[in-house]
Amino acid sequence: MSLMLKRRAYFTCAVCGHTYDKPGYLVTDHIVPRRVDKRKQLDVENLWVICKRCHYWKGMFESTTYRSDSLIDNLDVSKHWDKEQIKEWILNKESPKVDHPD
């Protein structure tokens, strides 16, 4: 499924827009993490292709957003963040280092 999604995304990061033609630069990532909602782990609507740099920042986002050990609390928080809001958060963290297209 990962290769299919990368092909569908034209090997382009959904966050920063950079295209990578070498293996290992892109990650198929869960928008709502598996630890928050395992029911969405194979839901294509919950998957996106992002580069490793943006994946790093998404990990930072998750560590500051999903703090509770309670599944209920984390599910509630996950409803407040959609893909576009996560993308905006990552780009705001990256903006001093990378020139992103508008």
Side-chain angles (χ1 to χ4, degrees):
M1 183 179 306
S2 179
L3 182 58
M4 175 197 72
L5 291 171
K6 289 174 185 175
R7 284 180 178 157
R8 187 183 294 174
Y10 297 104
F11 295 93
T12 302
C13 176
V15 176
C16 69
H18 290 113
T19 300
Y20 297 90
D21 60 354
K22 295 181 182 174
Y25 285 87
L26 294 171
V27 176
T28 302
D29 179 65
H30 296 88
I31 299 163
V32 175
R34 288 182 296 179
R35 67 182 167 83
V36 172
D37 191 353
K38 286 192 184 287
R39 297 170 300 170
K40 292 186 173 189
Q41 69 183 0
L42 295 177
D43 180 358
V44 175
E45 296 299 316
N46 188 47
L47 296 171
W48 62 350
V49 175
I50 58 177
C51 68
K52 285 191 173 181
R53 182 179 202 116
C54 291
H55 189 253
Y56 165 81
W57 284 110
K58 178 148 182 297
M60 293 293 105
F61 166 80
E62 289 172 359
S63 69
T64 61
T65 304
Y66 305 110
R67 295 177 179 241
S68 175
D69 289 335
S70 165
L71 178 62
I72 301 300
D73 290 345
N74 283 331
L75 282 171
D76 186 50
V77 169
S78 72
K79 293 176 186 173
H80 297 290
W81 292 92
D82 66 12
K83 184 167 41 174
E84 289 304 313
Q85 291 168 313
I86 296 169
K87 178 180 174 178
E88 184 177 324
W89 189 92
I90 293 169
L91 290 175
N92 284 332
K93 294 294 181 184
E94 275 287 290
S95 61
K97 299 175 197 132
V98 178
D99 184 25
H100 295 283
D102 290 334

